[in-house]
Amino acid sequence: MFGRHHHHRGHWRGQADEHHGRHPFGFHGGHDGHHGGPRGRGGRMGRFFDHGDLRFVVLKLIAEKPSHGYELIKAIETAAGGAYTPSPGVVYPTLTLLEELGYVTASDAGGGKKLYTITPEGEAFLVSNDAPVRSLFQRMAEAASASAAFSPQILRARENLKTALRLKLHGGQLTAEQIAAIAKAMDDAAAVIEAI
């Protein structure tokens, strides 16, 4: 997606390939929503991030709040609405590379954890790549929206409404008052949903 950004590309590809094979960040359409792309309205969206995109996301999140690796994994999952969760095997090598590039520093937070903080060089890198960074977070927001449409709770509630309406409409002659009450209940529900 952002193939025009070649900054440190050789180094990035070399280290990533050493650890992860042909697809360094594991976003090549896996067999579930955790390691491939999320399911959108038209089916699987394929690879969630293109090569090198994850560094932008991780660095932006660190810029907003110094974080541990696990916190970054959960933050990405939250930003994508649960549609995608990166594995530690792609996040931690990315953090190591960002540290090697001088974009973040890591301090010992105890318990074997490292706290990552952005550097001035990292901030400058984000500024120079503002457009792709914004595009990536927009993509995650869209994935979160699509994911919500297929959440078990919403699907269950929608089916309950359809079933109740079908049973009522086919259960015998409705009075004018019943018809008006049903229509009002549905209109009220629509208004509540729109206002959320």
Side-chain angles (χ1 to χ4, degrees), residues 173-184:
Q173 186 70 30
L174 296 177
T175 66
E177 290 78 10
Q178 287 176 311
I179 292 173
I182 291 171
K184 182 179 185 304

Side-chain angles (χ1 to χ4, degrees), residues 159-178:
E159 290 306 311
N160 282 348
L161 176 60
K162 288 168 60 178
T163 299
L165 185 60
R166 183 172 63 250
L167 290 174
K168 182 60 68 174
L169 293 178
H170 295 283
Q173 186 70 30
L174 296 177
T175 66
E177 290 78 10
Q178 287 176 311

